Amino acid sequence: MTELSPRGVPSQWGNDNSDKYAEHTLLGFKFSTWNEEVMLAALSAPAPRGEGLQLLVTANVDHIVRLTQDAEFREAYRSSWKAVVDGMPVLIYARLRGAPIPGRLTGSDLFPKLLNKLSPDRHRLLFVCADEETAIKLNERVRELGF
């Protein structure tokens, strides 16, 4: 199990949220440079008291287009806990710009792994779903896990 520092960052990497190597500005937004293991450890750690929800945004081409057109969407990105590169075109752009992004961290890859790391006695879940059908299926799945 990965040991976490008080700020929710795995201590063995020796960085925290203010470390210049933990984030890189790209397209005017700060993107995490953590790999999947570090991100999952941080996401499964209890959020520090008083910090509220931790919104993780996963940038793909659709998001990049919406960021240019939707002020509320831009604000969600700016106020997010972490932003990661999800789409391959965004990763290619990041690499061409010299960003130290270790690779794609897709929501569809992170989500099932994260669910398996969470426990009903330590974590409270909140999801925003695209539609009611997704919400119903997700509710069934988390209930199967004991939440």
Side-chain angles (χ1 to χ4, degrees), residues 11-143:
S11 58
Q12 68 196 60
W13 279 271
N15 60 7
D16 65 20
N17 291 338
S18 65
D19 186 315
K20 66 180 180 178
Y21 300 108
E23 294 181 328
H24 185 83
T25 301
L26 187 67
L27 299 165
F29 298 91
K30 292 181 180 178
F31 283 85
S32 173
T33 58
W34 291 344
N35 64 26
E36 183 179 87
E37 180 184 5
V38 176
M39 184 61 70
L40 285 170
L43 286 168
S44 61
R49 287 203 180 279
E51 288 198 16
L53 295 174
Q54 293 181 314
L55 175 64
L56 172 68
V57 292
T58 58
N60 57 36
V61 172
D62 177 59
H63 285 199
I64 301 305
V65 171
R66 284 190 64 193
L67 287 168
T68 67
Q69 302 167 347
D70 185 333
E72 287 183 20
F73 197 68
R74 272 192 307 278
E75 184 53 35
Y77 259 74
R78 282 199 180 94
S79 63
S80 68
W81 171 70
K82 293 286 179 197
V84 296
V85 171
D86 184 316
M88 184 56 79
V90 180
L91 179 62
I92 292 169
Y93 177 79
R95 294 226 168 117
L96 289 172
R97 301 293 299 172
I101 307 294
R104 294 172 60 208
L105 288 179
T106 69
S108 60
D109 288 339
L110 286 173
F111 190 72
K113 293 174 183 175
L114 178 60
L115 268 183
N116 289 331
K117 288 178 128 328
L118 302 179
S119 68
D121 58 328
R122 288 186 55 213
H123 300 95
R124 295 181 65 192
L125 308 178
L126 172 70
F127 300 104
V128 177
C129 299
D131 54 54
E132 188 174 354
E133 180 182 345
T134 302
I136 291 169
K137 288 180 181 177
L138 181 56
N139 186 46
E140 290 170 359
R141 176 70 178 122
V142 296
R143 288 191 184 277

